[in-house]
Structures are given as C-alpha cells and as structure tokens.
Amino acid sequence: MMRARALAPPARKGGGNPMLFWGLMACFLLGVLLLFTLCAGGSFIPSTQGAENQLWDRQEGNWLKVYGQSYFAFFLQSSLLLAAGFSGLGVVLLPVLFLVYGGASLYGILSLYLLEGVTGLFHYWQMYWLPQLGSLVLLCLVGSRAFDTAIGLGKGLVTKPAASGKIPYKPAMLRYLVSLVAAAAVSGLSVLLGQLFL
C-alpha cells in the first residue's frame, strides 16, 4: 500500500511577498507622520546644522564627499536591515527601523525649510527627492526579503526547526548585494542633480 507523500508548499518566485514591501513603506510613512505631529505640536524642532553642511558641500563642489556620504548612508541602512532580518527579532526590528528612516527623511526636509524657508523646499525638490525615493525603494526591497528571513527564523523559535521550512537566507543576501550595486547609481544621481541645480 502506497503512502501519500506530503507535498512541500510551492516556493514563491520573483520578489517575494509584495505585502511586506508595502507594509514597510507604510511604516516609513508612519515615521514621517509621527515626526510631523511632534514638530507641529512644538515638542521637537529640527537642527539646521546638517542642512547647512549638505548645501555647503554642494556649493563648494565637494562631489566626492557628497557621493560618499550618500552611498555610505545607504550601505549602513541596508546592512542594518539585513542584520535585523538575520535575527528572530527582525519582525519587530524591521518596522522600527523603517519608522526611524521615515522620521529621518522628514527631519532632512524640515532642516532645509528652517534654514532657507520655501527656497529650502525647492532645493530639496531639485536635488534630494529623486535620490531619496530611489534609496527608499531599494531599502524596501532589501527589507522585504530580510523580513521573509526573519519570519522563517521566528517560526523556528516557536516550532521545531524542521517544521518551520527552509529559511531564505540566500535571496535576502542576493538582494542586498544587488541593491548595493544599484545604490551606486542612485548616489551618482544625487551628485548629478547637485551639479545641475546649484
């Protein structure tokens, strides 16, 4: 008598679960909203020092420094996402990191606004929004794969490791490496836009 073999669930192809991508994007927007609420209530006032340094570097033509800062920021952020994903606590850490990223993005915009008023918003629109949008999309792509890994590890903490299924380390690592290559072009865009609009 033949016994029926248990079928393994089909592996997801392509980019993984798109709900994770949009969930992390929602966390980013929530971080923006939280900082906006704090600033609107007068509980927090951003410093303009960072905005002054960024504009000064661009006005002085320190393009290698601008490129390096942009790329290093992405490298640090994506590495934190990958490290969080390789932990069972990543299901909590990843949304928190995106909340922080959202707040940090609004902080940069408000710094420019406090420094230069409406002109600062124009500077942001001209030089920063496109590279930051590119970085955000790449971070969400890395984060969604890292979240997949964290879910697999989290299941392994509650159930037997064999029952939790295969943990997708390799797709997360591959997406991280591809994103680092793509971020080189995004950082180059921040230099190009600075040269065009200053």
Side-chain angles (χ1 to χ4, degrees), residues 101-181:
Y101 294 164
S105 291
L106 182 64
Y107 184 93
I109 296 170
L110 291 176
S111 295
L112 281 167
Y113 177 73
L114 291 174
L115 181 66
E116 296 189 327
V118 177
T119 309
L121 294 180
F122 277 121
H123 272 136
Y124 176 81
W125 181 257
Q126 292 171 332
M127 294 186 295
Y128 299 107
W129 81 269
L130 200 52
Q132 286 201 354
L133 180 63
S135 291
L136 174 60
V137 169
L138 289 174
L139 287 173
C140 284
L141 288 170
V142 172
S144 59
R145 273 301 192 194
F147 207 104
D148 241 355
T149 307
I151 289 172
L153 287 167
K155 284 180 183 175
L157 293 175
V158 230
T159 62
K160 292 179 182 176
S164 65
K166 189 176 178 183
I167 297 170
Y169 290 110
K170 190 176 177 182
M173 195 68 196
L174 183 61
R175 182 164 294 178
Y176 167 75
L177 293 173
V178 169
S179 294
L180 288 182
V181 174

Side-chain angles (χ1 to χ4, degrees), residues 54-105:
Q54 285 182 359
L55 288 176
W56 187 84
D57 284 335
R58 283 166 167 77
Q59 287 163 352
E60 292 296 310
N62 297 330
W63 301 116
L64 189 59
K65 184 178 177 184
V66 168
Y67 180 85
Q69 286 174 339
S70 175
Y71 189 80
F72 180 72
F74 179 83
F75 173 76
L76 182 62
Q77 291 168 333
S78 58
S79 297
L80 280 172
L81 294 178
L82 188 68
F86 284 4
S87 158
L89 298 174
V91 290
V92 176
L93 294 174
L94 286 161
V96 169
L97 284 171
F98 273 89
L99 282 171
V100 172
Y101 294 164
S105 291

Side-chain angles (χ1 to χ4, degrees), residues 29-45 103 106 110:
L29 294 174
L30 184 59
V32 170
L33 182 62
L34 287 173
L35 185 65
F36 180 79
T37 306
L38 284 174
C39 292
S43 306
F44 182 77
I45 299 172
L106 182 64
L110 291 176

